[in-house]
Structures are given as structure tokens and as C-alpha cells.
Amino acid sequence: MPEDPLDPAIPRSVVLVVGSGRSGTSTMAGALRTLGMHVPQPEVPADDTNPKGFGEPQWVVDFHAELLQRCGVQVSDGRPAAWFEAGKTAGFEPSRERLHLWLEEQLVTGGHELVVKDPRLAWFAGLWRSAALRCEAQVSFVTMLRPPAEVVGSKQRYYAGQGGLNRTAGDTTRTAAWVNMMLHTERATRGDRRVFVRYADLLDDWTVPLFDIGRRFGLVSLQEANANHVRAVHAFIDPGLRRVQATWDDVDVPDRLRDLAQATWDQLDLLVDPDHDGPEVHARLDALRADYTAMYAEAEALSASTALAAHRRGLATLPAPVNAVVRRGADRVPHKLRAAVPPAARARLRKALGRER
């Protein structure tokens, strides 16, 4: 490491690690930190799902959780429309100012080269891009890639039972969320400085992708890392971290969704080679994103009755008068008076009001 990470000669740089949860984002962030980049403190503490730590600043996690709650989006949301809802936050000036002030403080106190990771981060790429620009820092993205069946299998292992879904519904929902997250993350970072890294490559020989990141992003911490840092990363990265190696035979999802997820993986995998990060692959990814959006719209239409029934059950659990049924104006008219209106006239009134009965 350079003697002074706050040396004004070192350009300000913010590296954002994005991708689906359980795809190696924590390992990447931890490796960059071990090589000398600064992870803002305090961090989310390690647990059984990530025994070597998450590499996530607690402030960032809390900030993103607040924004997601405000716009009604989940961390792993399969709805294409969720990107529009989350994107609105990029134009909300109080949120922009909060992130700008926090990021400026980290660059002043922690060092000119920051690494920030959170599975919620991709929803707010525009917000981070704006904050980095205000701080006169270069923003770069590292997108972690792991086969979708492995991601879903890993989530099933560590998060089974969350959300009250059975195995089939859980696998389907998680696969859909992976497709939605990865296709839209690729689109949201297109045109930025970015690299794509396979999780398997990071575990097999971390020196290749990490020093390539240092070269392509001009990161002094990585380019001037010494032998002690290298040994520390060797100790940090354990190939045994890849504890789930599932295939599509281990995941119960509809054939059409499985085929779309596999096609998405095949195209994203090409982006590891920067020569493929161009119009041809972009066009195929755009087509896949359109296919997924159409598929999701069909699923929403088919399940509308189920969603409405769930909404009604939810209303029934609320205390009166919140759950009271609001009576229409016609319902408040005595039956005898309504019966006196000729059927043809009643039909015309219903048609004018857009009601079936």
C-alpha cells in the first residue's frame, strides 16, 4: 500500500460490487479490502451464511433498506416494474444529498479508494453514480457471476422457509429474481467502467481477476499491493466457500423459465471477456429482458385471482373500520326504489359507470 492512502495524488475511486446475492459478492469485497481498499465501517457482522464476513457497510445496508421500503421493492424482487419504482429514488434530492455527504466523509477519512458492496445496491446505481460525481470520484462496477442453479440452490440451503413458500414456489421465485436482477443490472451499468467476474474464477485463482481490476480501474491499492497483502488474500479466499454446486437437476422450476435463465447466463458469461461487451451481446440481452418482461406479465395475469384473494384475506385481518366494505351509492338506495327503475335504464346506468352489475 502507498504510505498515505489520502495522498491527493491518488485519484478518488469508488468500486461498487453488484450482482445477485449468493454469487460471490462478499468474497470479492473482502478480497479488495484485504488488498488495501477501504470498506466503510462499521461492517455487517459475519454469521453462519457468510463466516468470513459480508464486506457490507452497515450504514449502506440501512440506507438501502429504507429506500426499498419506501418504494415497495424487495431485495430479491422478480418484478420488472420494480426497477422503475426503485429508479425514482435517484431523483429524490434529500436521498441524493444524504448519500453524497456520507460518501464524501468516507473518502476524506477512510481513503481515496473505496469498495462498497450490498445486494441491494444495484437497485440504486443511478443514485450512487450521482453521489460519486458530486464527490469528484470515478465510479466503477464489479458484477459477480455465478450459475443461476447454484445461486438458487445456495439460497434454498440458507434461506429455506423464508417468505412462507414451498420448495417449488421458492425455487421459481428465486430463479425469476435472479433473471430480473442480472438482466437489469447489466443494463443499468452499460456504458460505465465495469468488469464481470465469475465466482469460480475468483476461487480458482484470485490473482487474475483482481489484478486485472486494478489495472483496468487504475487502483493504486491493487497495483502496489505487497507480498503481505497477497498472502492475506490467499488466507482469506477459501475454495471451500463454494459450498453449493447445484445444477438444473437440483432446482424445480418451469421449463420456460429455466431456459430463459440459462440463456441469460450464457450471454452474461461472455461479458467476462471485455471484447464481448459490445452491441452484439447487448442486443441479445435486451431481447432476453423483453422476453422475461412478457413472461412475467403473463404470470401476473394468470395469478390475478390469487393475488386478489390474498388481498382480501389481508383486509380481513385488519381491525374495523379499516376492513369495512365501502358500500356503493346504489347499495344505499332502498331496494323498492331500485326495483322501480326499468331494467333497460338500469343497464344503461351500469354501462355508463363501467360496472357489470
Side-chain angles (χ1 to χ4, degrees), residues 27-323:
T27 305
M28 172 59 74
L32 292 174
R33 174 192 57 206
T34 306
L35 281 176
M37 297 191 70
H38 178 65
V39 173
Q41 300 297 304
E43 295 180 38
V44 174
D47 63 18
D48 291 341
T49 66
N50 259 348
K52 295 222 171 184
F54 291 86
E56 300 173 5
Q58 186 67 60
W59 186 94
V60 172
V61 172
D62 294 340
F63 178 65
H64 287 160
E66 176 188 327
L67 295 182
L68 287 176
Q69 183 177 20
R70 185 184 305 162
C71 63
V73 174
Q74 303 177 62
V75 178
S76 297
D77 204 313
R79 298 172 300 146
W83 291 95
F84 175 74
E85 297 301 325
K88 294 178 184 178
T89 59
F92 187 56
E93 184 56 30
S95 296
R96 291 160 63 101
E97 184 64 12
R98 281 176 61 193
L99 182 56
H100 162 229
L101 292 176
W102 178 86
L103 187 59
E104 178 65 29
E105 180 183 0
Q106 305 310 311
L107 289 165
V108 168
T109 61
H112 287 178
E113 295 182 338
L114 303 183
V115 55
V116 179
K117 172 261 176 179
D118 178 22
R120 307 160 186 80
L121 195 151
W123 295 106
F124 309 109
L127 199 61
W128 281 90
R129 196 178 290 112
S130 171
L133 182 63
R134 292 185 180 192
C135 294
E136 298 182 343
Q138 177 69 58
V139 65
S140 308
F141 292 89
V142 177
T143 302
M144 293 302 298
L145 300 177
R146 188 180 187 183
E150 285 194 12
V151 172
V152 174
S154 182
K155 289 186 176 182
Q156 176 63 27
R157 175 175 177 176
Y158 294 106
Y159 308 141
Q162 293 186 10
L165 299 175
N166 60 34
R167 174 63 184 269
T168 300
D171 285 355
T172 299
T173 298
R174 292 180 179 118
T175 302
W178 181 88
V179 172
N180 193 41
M181 169 62 72
M182 298 307 296
L183 284 175
H184 284 84
T185 297
E186 184 282 323
R187 185 64 187 88
T189 60
R190 197 180 294 176
D192 290 303
R193 291 204 312 182
R194 65 181 188 178
V195 297
F196 292 81
V197 178
R198 300 184 191 95
Y199 184 40
D201 292 347
L202 183 65
L203 296 182
D204 289 344
D205 184 1
W206 64 266
T207 62
V208 175
L210 262 67
F211 289 132
D212 181 59
I213 289 172
R215 177 184 60 81
R216 292 172 62 181
F217 293 167
L219 299 171
V220 175
S221 302
L222 274 60
Q223 292 176 322
E224 297 187 4
N226 58 37
N228 289 332
H229 292 107
V230 172
R231 282 193 292 269
V233 180
H234 277 305
F236 173 77
I237 294 184
D238 176 11
L241 292 172
R242 193 180 180 186
R243 290 167 286 183
V244 176
Q245 300 187 43
T247 68
W248 286 121
D249 292 335
D250 305 307
V251 179
D252 188 7
V253 297
D255 292 348
R256 186 180 172 195
L257 178 59
R258 179 202 60 209
D259 293 345
L260 196 149
Q262 183 61 45
T264 299
W265 165 258
D266 292 340
Q267 296 305 310
L268 291 173
D269 189 55
L270 294 174
L271 297 179
V272 174
D273 182 349
D275 291 338
H276 288 146
D277 196 357
E280 186 176 348
V281 175
H282 296 171
R284 291 197 290 266
L285 287 165
D286 289 341
L288 288 168
R289 198 170 61 255
D291 289 345
Y292 175 73
T293 301
M295 181 189 300
Y296 198 90
E298 292 177 9
E300 283 186 315
L302 285 170
S303 60
S305 295
T306 300
L308 182 58
H311 177 68
R312 287 171 174 164
R313 287 195 299 270
L315 287 178
T317 65
L318 298 175
V322 179
N323 66 350

